[in-house]
Structure formats: C-alpha cells, structure tokens
Amino acid sequence: MSNHLKLKQGRLIIAGLVILLIILHQDNWNWNNSNLVFGFIPVTLFYHMCISFSASVIWFMATRIAWPDDVEDEALSELSEKGGDA
Amino acid sequence: MIVLGIIGGYIALLLCLGLFSSRLFKGTSKDFMLASHSIGPFMLLMSLFGTTMTAFALVGSTGEAYVEGAGVYGLLASSSGIIHSLCFFILGVKLWSLGKKYGYTTQIQYFRDRLQSDKIGVLLFPVLVGMVIPYLLIGVMASGTFINAVTRGTFEAGTFPGFLEEGMNGGVPKSVASLIICVVVLIYVFFGGMRGTAWANTFQTCVFMVLGVVTFYVIAMKLGGEETLMASLRKASAAVDADKLTRMHMSKTQFATYFFVPLSVGMFPHLFQHWLTAKSANSFKLPVVAHPFFIMIVWCPCILIGLWASTDLINLPPPIANNPNAILPFMVNKLNGPVMTGLLSAGVLAAIMSSLDSQFLCLGTMFTEDIVVHYGGKGRYSEKQTIMIARAFIIAIVAVVYAFSLFEPRRVFTLGIWCFSGYASLFPLVFASLYWKKLTKAGAYAAVITCAASWVYLFRESGFGSNEKFTVDFKIGGAVYDTMPVMSMFFLTAIVMIVVSLVTPKPTEETLQRFFPEKSTT
C-alpha cells in the first residue's frame, strides 16, 4: 500500500474515533447518577475523566497513523527554493 | 505578611527569569514576536497549555463547580481535551507550515494573503482585539480577587487611602493587586518578548501544575480530617449534596451545545502566534497528545474543591458564598498555614500570568505588524521603533482592561464563555481558509461581519453577561430546546460564509496553487 493510501486510511480511522468520542461525550445515561467511584469521585466526573484520557490515546494514535509528515517537507522545500529562513 | 512575602518573592523570581531570557534576545522584531521559530516540543506544550489554562480554568472552574456541581468538568474540560488537540492537529500544523513558507507573524497577515484582500485586516483587527478584552479582563479581575482574598487580615484599617479600602477586609486592595500583576507581566514581556514569554510560561505551568496537586492534597487532608488521603477524600465527597454530584439541574441541550465553545482555540490570535514559534511540525506531536491529559490534571482537583466548598464541612461567610470567584482563594487561605497559602497562591497567579503574557505580546504584535507596518510602510520604522510601538500599544490596551476591571465584576466563568463564543464563531472561517478552495474574499468579509454582529446582539441581550443563565431557545414541536448562544453564532457565520462564497468570484488560480498545491500520490 502506498504511503498516501496508508495516511488516508489512518486519517479515516482517527476521524471515526473522534466522532465516536464526541458522541460518547453526551452521556445522558449518567445524568442523574449520584454514585461515587472509589468512594470520592462523582460518576459524571469519572466518566468525563475517562473521555479526557481516551482523547489523549486517540491523539497519540493520530501522531502515529495520521500525521501529515509532508507538511514539514513542503515548508522546507519552499524555504530552500527561496534560499533562507522565512 | 508571610503570604505577601512569598507572593512577592515569586514575582521577583519571575522578573529575574524575564531579565535572563532578555540576554538571549536577538534584538530583532522576529525574535521578539516569534522567538525565531526556535521552540521545541516540551516548551511548545507548556506554553500552549499555560496559555489556554487561565484564571478561567482554576478560579472559574472551582467557583462554577461550587454553584453548578460536578457536571462542569464535562461542560468544558473533557470537550476541550478533544477539540483543542483537534485544532492543534488540523489547524496548528498547517498554519505553522504556511507561516514558515510565507513568513507570517500574525493571523491577519495569513488571511490577507489567503484571501488576496488588503482590507480584511481593517475588519478583523478590531474584532479580534475587541474579543480579547473580556479574556484579559478575566485574568486581571481574578488576580486582584485572589490576592485580596489570601491576604485578608494582613493590614490594619487606614493603611491604604480610603477609596481603596472599601471591602478589602485587611487584604491588599483588589485594584492594587490587579495593577501589580499587570505591571509584572508587562515587564517580563517587554524584556524577553516571545522567548521570555515562552520561558516564563513553561516555568509557570510547571509551578501551577505541581502546586495544584499539592493544594488538592492539603485541602483534602484538612477538610476530611482523616488519617489517610483516601479516607479524607471519601469523607469530603460523602458530604456533597446528591444534586451537586449529578447534572439533574443542567439542560441536556445546553450541555451538548457547550461543545462549540472550545473551538475558540482555532481563532485565538495569541495561540496562532505560539503555533508559529514551533521549531518544526513534529514539535506539535507532544502538545496534541498531552493536552487532554494535562487538562484533566488541572481541572479535576478544582472541580472537587468546588464541590467540597458547597458542603457543611466548611463554613463560608456570606460575601464568599455569594462570590464564586472567591471560593478557591478562600479554601486555600482557610485550610492552609501561611507558608503553604503563599506557595499555593503563587501557583494560581502563575496560571493567570502565563495567559496574560501571551495575550499582551500578541496584541502588540498585531498592532505593529497588521496596522503600523502594513499601512505605514515596511521600511518606515526601524526594528527598535517597531518594538517600541508594540510596547506602547500593549500599555494602552492594558490600561483600558484595568479600567474595566474596576467596574462591577462579572463571574469569571460567564465572561470567559462569552469571549470564547466569539472566537469559536470564527472557527468556520479559519477552517474553510485551509480546507475549502471556494472560500472567497466576500465570503470571509460576510463571515466576520455576521460573527461580530451576532456576538454584539446576543451579548447585549444577556445584559452584557449579567444574565448568567442566558440561552438561545428553539421551539420545535411544542418542546423548548435551550442552547448556548455560541451554536447560533457558529452556524449563522458558517451559513453566511458558504452562501456568499458560492455566489461571488472565486480566488485566482495563483492563490489556489499557493495554498492548495497538487500533491504526489506515491
């Protein structure tokens, strides 16, 4: 598979995961739950801490499978054509 | 007096850091404004995070959790974790690349070039500066309230002139404290420019994260009063009313539409400037990954402290109970000895100052680059004169903000939401400029005018932020859906931009080639 196709596939996966996370963020099922996780963290807070943690994991995946490496090359090639720092 | 001494010591340390970084200053306006594109991943993470975590995140979130309960984290913190990183990823990296290629220093330079419009700056400049004023106000106001609250009982009546002593309760008067913080930030920004700001941000972000965790530990132990941390945490949380542990009094549609607010990060002018300081595109990887996790580390303790403040375990005097902005400083002061209070106060002030500095610097940069140099002519002013003009404009804006801070205070959280909502409504513009070839000059003008007009109209409808529960309500099939004003502003701006772009002349082929070059598929 070409790099371009791999990147496209990676970006689709990340886009899908981000959309899923946005949907999961609206946790209507926890709305009236007053339980405490570990005896001190409200469920609503704990759930959203998990959302934050999942966001970090998804963004880590994004840096591995969907990172636009060509952006760096583009900037550098344009600079070398100009012959110096922008 | 010990608290005051520690705060003073911290401020002195910060000034030394500013002076030290000024020794590395190269004397050029590019170094002053962009640190010569030399910021690596760690400093980029710390400066981006320090800049986005303001008084809003610490003082505002604690006060809001005290009033509204645990759902406040979901309203903004978890959504910001997703959206901020998304903005760094889809906007930041691309804008950094274009900035490096074409030599931009400000957002307006980019838009001028992308839209091939000289006048877009005249329209965008007052809108961007006007909306940053409430943001600055948050920091200036909160720093005064915080220092006053933690130094209560330090001075006897008559120490300060009578007009300053009203409501100060023996603490440093709010107006004096706010002024000191403004002057300190101005000094280190002036000496160190962007490099000094990035260094100070990194240092201050480390300070407020470490001291934030220490604050949480100390408050939990004191409030719970048990032998172990876990037992204290359980005792403190068990005392919280059930309705504060849930979101039963929050509207589901309002909660959902809060999601638009963090999109503001895409259009903050000071973040744009920080993005351009990056050494390489890869420098963005660490901020993209760590930002949501860092938000969690800072917000969670604040939310829990706000919840605990609402319990019978602590007795809040009426002036504090009626002022959510004063909850965090009161808890810090009440539950710690003077040394810890001083250190923890330094941590909170660090968070406040690490945002003010970037905003101050950015305002100066925009004024010189987008107005003075652009319209006055490039060779008209020397490097030294350019820097002096930037500094003079910063002082003028800070004076205006300081004057506003002396009037009737607003809730930090409410003011922050209005400011963020304005920037979030401009998100469609920056997104379209990078990913939609059909965006036209007229479409962009229409978007900015719609955003500004709808913001002014709705802000006025809310009594200039005095109605803290203001929503835009939609009646559909007999049911009423209350939504955050940002949603209406966002969609109005986007729709107007798309419609006008589709019916007006397309950008030139040359422009499209520069901003949307053909890529090889191998």
Side-chain angles (χ1 to χ4, degrees):
Chain A
M1 201 190 299
S2 74
N3 285 341
H4 180 74
L5 269 177
K6 269 188 192 166
L7 190 64
K8 207 168 173 183
Q9 205 174 50
R11 284 178 182 174
L12 276 174
I13 292 170
I14 296 302
L17 287 172
V18 170
I19 290 167
L20 179 67
L21 207 55
I22 291 172
I23 293 167
L24 289 175
H25 180 270
Q26 185 68 22
D27 58 330
N28 290 355
W29 53 92
N30 282 329
W31 219 257
N32 297 323
N33 188 339
S34 61
N35 290 339
L36 294 167
V37 180
F38 306 125
F40 74 97
I41 309 176
V43 164
T44 182
L45 177 60
F46 183 76
Y47 178 86
H48 282 274
M49 285 167 69
C50 293
I51 293 273
S52 294
F53 188 76
S54 309
S56 268
V57 172
I58 291 173
W59 290 122
F60 174 73
M61 287 171 65
T63 64
R64 308 304 295 237
I65 60 172
W67 193 257
D69 287 317
D70 53 335
V71 158
E72 183 113 37
D73 301 337
E74 264 178 44
L76 293 176
S77 67
E78 184 87 14
L79 279 180
S80 61
E81 277 170 31
K82 281 186 190 171
D85 193 12
Chain B
M1 204 45 96
I2 295 173
V3 175
L4 208 54
I6 294 174
I7 293 175
Y10 177 74
I11 286 173
L13 194 67
L14 202 56
L15 291 174
C16 289
L17 189 75
L19 290 174
F20 174 72
S21 64
S22 75
R23 297 180 65 179
L24 302 173
F25 179 39
K26 295 177 181 171
T28 63
S29 56
K30 181 144 255 177
D31 197 62
F32 184 76
M33 293 162 188
L34 296 180
S36 303
H37 303 292
S38 63
I39 303 298
F42 179 70
M43 272 181 73
L44 188 65
L45 163 69
M46 293 314 236
S47 50
L48 287 176
F49 183 69
T51 303
T52 47
M53 290 300 112
T54 58
F56 179 83
L58 299 170
V59 179
S61 66
T62 309
E64 201 65 10
Y66 165 77
V67 177
E68 303 288 347
V72 171
Y73 185 91
L75 276 184
L76 267 171
S78 53
S79 53
S80 296
I82 304 168
I83 300 294
H84 287 186
S85 290
L86 178 74
C87 289
F88 299 165
F89 183 52
I90 62 169
L91 305 178
V93 177
K94 221 164 157 86
L95 286 169
W96 169 85
S97 160
L98 292 169
K100 185 110 176 156
K101 259 195 308 201
Y102 302 127
Y104 308 132
T105 310
T106 68
Q107 255 174 336
I108 289 174
Q109 287 174 346
Y110 160 69
F111 281 113
R112 265 194 193 118
D113 203 18
R114 165 67 180 86
L115 301 166
Q116 291 297 296
S117 166
D118 188 56
K119 299 288 184 294
I120 188 78
V122 179
L123 185 64
L124 256 183
F125 181 79
V127 172
L128 294 176
V129 172
M131 288 195 305
V132 96
I133 285 177
Y135 202 177
L136 289 170
L137 199 51
I138 296 168
V140 174
M141 243 170 53
S143 58
T145 306
F146 199 95
I147 293 178
N148 172 263
V150 293
T151 56
R152 281 178 186 211
T154 306
F155 300 103
E156 288 173 7
T159 310
F160 296 94
F163 69 95
L164 290 175
E165 292 206 341
E166 199 183 328
M168 66 177 256
N169 300 313
V172 178
K174 288 179 194 173
S175 52
V176 174
S178 292
L179 184 65
I180 293 170
I181 293 300
C182 285
V183 171
V184 168
V185 178
L186 282 175
I187 290 173
Y188 80 73
V189 167
F190 284 2
F191 274 112
M194 180 50 97
R195 194 182 302 279
T197 302
W199 280 51
N201 267 345
T202 304
F203 170 68
Q204 300 207 86
T205 307
C206 294
V207 168
F208 80 71
M209 287 183 76
V210 171
L211 291 179
V213 173
V214 174
T215 310
F216 178 71
Y217 174 80
V218 173
I219 289 179
M221 289 301 283
K222 283 275 169 70
L223 204 59
E226 299 292 324
E227 281 193 2
T228 64
L229 175 65
M230 203 60 183
S232 294
L233 289 169
R234 284 180 174 156
K235 189 177 170 190
S237 290
V240 179
D241 278 349
D243 67 327
K244 287 262 160 59
L245 298 174
T246 68
R247 281 166 283 171
M248 58 177 72
H249 49 278
M250 269 186 199
S251 142
K252 289 191 174 90
T253 45
Q254 216 182 328
F255 184 87
T257 52
Y258 249 96
F259 218 98
F260 288 90
V261 176
L263 289 169
S264 53
V265 159
M267 270 304 284
F268 279 150
H270 51 284
L271 275 193
F272 182 94
Q273 202 173 343
H274 271 297
W275 288 339
L276 294 189
T277 64
K279 195 189 271 182
S280 69
N282 284 334
S283 300
F284 282 85
K285 285 183 178 174
L286 186 60
V288 164
V289 175
H291 195 80
F293 192 68
F294 273 32
I295 290 176
M296 188 173 81
I297 293 173
V298 171
W299 274 69
C300 279
C302 292
I303 299 292
L304 285 171
I305 291 171
L307 288 177
W308 297 338
S310 68
T311 66
D312 294 336
L313 294 175
I314 190 148
N315 186 21
L316 297 181
I320 303 294
N322 295 329
N323 179 9
N325 297 348
I327 298 294
L328 182 62
F330 178 81
M331 295 288 276
V332 166
N333 197 14
K334 179 92 178 170
L335 298 170
N336 294 282
V339 175
M340 275 310 286
T341 302
L343 287 171
L344 303 177
S345 305
V348 175
L349 292 174
I352 294 173
M353 290 192 280
S354 65
S355 305
L356 285 177
D357 55 10
S358 303
Q359 292 160 338
F360 286 2
L361 184 69
C362 174
L363 285 170
T365 306
M366 283 165 66
F367 183 66
T368 48
E369 291 290 309
D370 298 329
I371 304 294
V372 177
V373 173
H374 185 76
Y375 294 108
K378 206 151 194 167
R380 187 165 167 188
Y381 301 102
S382 66
E383 290 281 346
K384 211 172 174 179
Q385 282 173 320
T386 308
I387 294 169
M388 287 306 290
I389 293 168
R391 288 173 176 171
F393 183 72
I394 293 169
I395 291 175
I397 289 288
V398 173
V400 171
V401 171
Y402 178 72
F404 278 135
S405 76
L406 302 177
F407 294 118
E408 189 194 351
R410 295 275 187 266
R411 235 156 91 175
V412 163
F413 201 85
T414 311
L415 212 52
I417 293 298
W418 274 105
C419 164
F420 301 160
S421 297
Y423 285 108
S425 311
L426 285 172
F427 177 88
L429 175 64
V430 67
F431 183 80
S433 73
L434 289 168
Y435 293 100
W436 193 42
K437 289 180 184 177
K438 290 181 179 168
L439 172 71
T440 67
K441 182 165 74 173
Y445 275 85
V448 178
I449 292 167
T450 307
C451 165
S454 56
W455 188 86
V456 170
Y457 174 74
L458 291 171
F459 191 48
R460 190 171 162 271
E461 286 291 295
S462 77
F464 299 99
S466 61
N467 177 2
E468 286 150 1
K469 304 276 181 199
F470 182 78
T471 51
V472 176
D473 300 343
F474 293 94
K475 281 182 192 160
I476 302 169
V480 177
Y481 297 96
D482 49 348
T483 65
M484 291 302 290
V486 62
M487 187 189 81
S488 303
M489 288 154 58
F490 179 94
F491 282 120
L492 257 176
T493 305
I495 291 166
V496 168
M497 180 187 76
I498 293 167
V499 171
V500 175
S501 290
L502 289 176
V503 297
T504 49
K506 304 282 166 282
T508 62
E509 201 51 45
E510 191 203 348
T511 304
L512 293 178
Q513 270 305 313
R514 289 180 74 219
F515 291 93
F516 302 93
E518 295 290 327
K519 284 178 187 169
S520 77
T521 53
T522 52

